[in-house]
Amino acid sequence: MLILAIALALVAWQGWQRLDSQQQRIDELAQQTEGSASQQAVSELESRLDSGEAERDEALQSALSDLRSEFDSYRSDVDETLSDVLDQLSQEQDTDEHEWLHAEAAYLLRLANQRLQLEGDVEGAAALLRTADARLADADNPALTPVREAIANELAALDAVPQVDRTGLYLALNAQQERISDLRLSQEIEQQPVTSGIEEPPTGTFQRQLARFGEELKDLVVVRHHDEALEALITPEQESYLRQSLRLVLEQTQLALLNEEKALYDASIDKALQLLNDYYDTSREETQSVITRLQELKEAEVKPELPDISASQQALARFIDNRYETRGQSGGDA
């Protein structure tokens, strides 16, 4: 039995060795087969890629060729059209060495109108008008006399526009702000020393002493009658608010001055005058001085009325249009 068991174990071990060897062989064959299949797939893929790249290059070359052909045809058409246009312009153009003077003068007149209307620059508009008139003078064409006459009238109108010293007005308003801060309100109470006419102690009877005391009391007490109800005294907080409000109103006046808003400028000064008359002591000389100065500043011209300077531009435009119409008729007759 022992020998039989040993024999069986030996046979089993040899069988297992053979089985393991066969399994290794099978694995090697499988790996070789897989490697061969992968290599074949890679080869096929490379072949397809090469074929696709060749087709793509061929299509690209064909497209480029078509584009070059179309571009050459388009360029030829453009060159031909441009040549025709240049020939036509060369045939229709009437050479005039003063044409550029007319065009420059028209541009300057248009720019002068824009400068005056959009920016309110009177001096800049006048300078542009003078430059345009100089260009028309260089053209030396009697037909331009109406245009130059219109420019002369517009220059005279611009010279009549009053000059606005906005810097001076702004500083004047700022000075009034500083003065208002020191003005006294109308409800401020002045401290007055109380004096009595009683220099000696009263003597005499009780009735006589009482009568003398009544006379002294009349000198100390003053009774005033008012038609309207008396207003309560202004508290320190209200006084600070009032002075700050008046300062803000004057600052608003300065802003309206810089923005050339005449209506807001006048309304702001009227509001400042109303606050001064209602809450400040107008009996004092310094208060009346501020009120008078603000009234003078209200009369200042913030935004003067600007004239219309478009007549010269329109006259020159008509002159240029007539020249082109005359030239076109001459070309048609020819």
Side-chain angles (χ1 to χ4, degrees), residues 11 23 28 37 50 61 83 87-88 102 138 162 181 190 197 203 230 259 273 303:
V11 170
Q23 185 64 37
E28 290 177 358
D50 294 338
Q61 293 295 330
S83 178
D87 292 339
Q88 185 177 0
H102 302 155
D138 294 338
S181 61
E190 299 181 1
T203 58
L230 293 176
N259 292 334
L273 292 173
K303 186 178 182 180

Side-chain angles (χ1 to χ4, degrees), residues 2-268:
L2 181 60
I3 294 172
L4 181 59
I6 293 173
L8 290 174
L10 181 60
V11 170
W13 180 78
Q14 290 179 352
W16 181 83
Q17 288 289 336
R18 291 177 182 176
L19 182 61
D20 184 51
S21 176
Q22 291 178 357
Q23 185 64 37
Q24 290 180 358
R25 181 61 178 171
I26 290 172
D27 292 340
E28 290 177 358
L29 291 175
Q31 290 179 358
Q32 290 178 1
T33 303
E34 183 180 358
S36 178
S38 299
Q39 184 65 31
Q40 183 178 0
V42 170
S43 299
E44 291 179 358
L45 181 60
E46 289 179 352
S47 177
R48 293 178 182 177
L49 290 176
D50 294 338
S51 177
E53 186 175 358
E55 293 178 357
R56 186 184 60 183
D57 292 341
E58 183 178 356
L60 182 59
Q61 293 295 330
S62 178
L64 290 176
S65 178
D66 294 341
L67 288 175
R68 291 193 185 96
S69 178
E70 292 179 2
F71 180 75
D72 292 339
S73 177
Y74 174 75
R75 184 173 59 182
S76 177
D77 294 340
V78 171
D79 293 340
E80 184 178 356
T81 304
L82 182 60
S83 178
D84 294 341
V85 171
L86 292 177
D87 292 339
Q88 185 177 0
L89 291 176
S90 177
Q91 293 174 2
E92 294 180 356
Q93 185 176 10
D94 184 13
T95 305
D96 188 352
E97 60 182 2
H98 298 308
E99 285 293 335
W100 65 274
L101 291 174
H102 302 155
E104 185 177 0
Y107 171 75
L108 291 172
L109 293 178
R110 184 169 62 254
L111 190 60
N113 278 269
Q114 293 176 354
R115 183 70 62 85
L116 184 64
Q117 294 173 4
L118 300 180
E119 302 179 12
D121 187 359
V122 177
E123 296 181 357
L128 290 169
L129 287 180
R130 294 188 182 93
T131 306
D133 185 65
R135 297 295 182 272
L136 296 179
D138 294 338
D140 193 18
N141 189 342
L144 292 172
T145 300
V147 182
R148 299 192 63 191
E149 182 180 0
I151 292 177
N153 294 332
E154 292 166 357
L155 285 173
L158 290 177
D159 292 338
V161 176
Q163 299 292 329
V164 180
D165 185 12
R166 291 186 178 84
T167 302
L169 293 175
Y170 185 93
L171 295 177
L173 290 170
N174 194 66
Q176 300 313 307
Q177 289 187 28
E178 299 299 329
R179 295 183 62 187
I180 287 174
S181 61
D182 298 330
L183 297 181
R184 295 184 58 180
L185 299 178
S186 59
Q187 294 183 355
E188 289 181 349
I189 301 177
E190 299 181 1
Q191 296 181 356
Q192 299 180 351
V194 179
T195 59
S196 175
I198 304 178
E199 298 179 354
E200 298 179 356
T203 58
T205 63
F206 176 76
Q207 290 80 3
R208 184 177 179 181
Q209 295 178 9
L210 185 60
R212 185 177 178 183
F213 178 75
E215 294 295 330
E216 295 292 339
L217 186 61
K218 290 181 180 179
D219 295 335
L220 294 177
V221 178
V222 178
V223 180
R224 295 186 176 92
H225 299 278
H226 295 272
D227 296 334
E228 299 178 357
L230 293 176
E231 297 180 0
L233 293 177
I234 297 178
T235 64
E237 292 79 7
Q238 293 174 335
E239 178 182 352
S240 176
Y241 174 77
L242 176 62
R243 294 184 184 276
Q244 185 64 23
S245 298
L246 186 53
R247 176 177 291 274
L248 291 177
V249 170
L250 292 180
E251 290 180 355
Q252 185 180 20
T253 307
Q254 291 175 315
L255 183 61
L257 169 66
L258 297 178
N259 292 334
E260 299 181 357
E261 298 178 4
K262 179 61 176 176
L264 180 59
Y265 178 84
D266 293 342
S268 299

